[in-house]
Amino acid sequence: MIAVYFTGMEIAIAAKQLEALGNLTRLAIYRDIIQAGPGGCPVGHIRDALDIPASTLSHHIAKLVNAGLLSQERNSRSLVCRARHESMDNLMEFLVQNCCSESWTIQED
């Protein structure tokens, strides 16, 4: 088994976020929400834009929320999704923080 040790963000959190974004539908949902801007995007708009069933959309949004990439807020009768930009910023920083350096090690068990 190979263990990789990094500083900063926990590797398990990064893996969870990358797994969530590694699905074609979830990546499309995330991009749609990012493009909506800071006001967020109603779930109904996402459903219409991507033409996917409500139950499928709910499952994918839950996975993104659980990974910490999205937040949801009820606004009257609408459910609005917003990107958690700080989570994506942390993930991007995690991915490049050790670029061209010796600040991490791989240890085999």
Side-chain angles (χ1 to χ4, degrees):
M1 182 173 145
I2 296 177
V4 181
Y5 299 94
F6 297 92
T7 59
M9 179 182 221
E10 291 182 31
I11 194 167
I13 294 170
K16 186 176 189 176
Q17 291 177 342
L18 290 168
E19 177 189 4
L21 292 170
N23 175 281
L24 180 66
T25 302
R26 285 192 292 271
L27 185 56
I29 291 166
Y30 188 78
R31 288 188 55 161
D32 197 46
I33 293 168
I34 288 288
Q35 291 171 355
C41 190
V43 171
H45 169 81
I46 300 165
R47 185 183 61 243
D48 294 343
L50 300 179
D51 192 31
I52 57 178
S55 60
T56 302
L57 178 61
S58 178
H59 162 76
H60 287 301
I61 288 175
K63 187 92 168 175
L64 291 165
V65 168
N66 190 27
L69 294 166
L70 297 181
S71 65
Q72 289 184 308
E73 177 183 316
R74 178 132 328 257
N75 186 356
S76 185
R77 294 179 53 179
S78 293
L79 188 58
V80 177
C81 294
R82 288 187 179 83
R84 295 189 64 221
H85 294 282
E86 69 280 357
S87 291
M88 182 54 75
D89 291 345
N90 290 339
L91 179 59
M92 292 297 100
E93 182 180 323
F94 171 82
L95 291 173
V96 299
Q97 79 182 28
N98 296 313
C99 179
C100 307
S101 75
E102 297 294 324
S103 60
W104 60 275
T105 60
I106 297 177
Q107 296 180 349
E108 293 189 41
D109 293 336

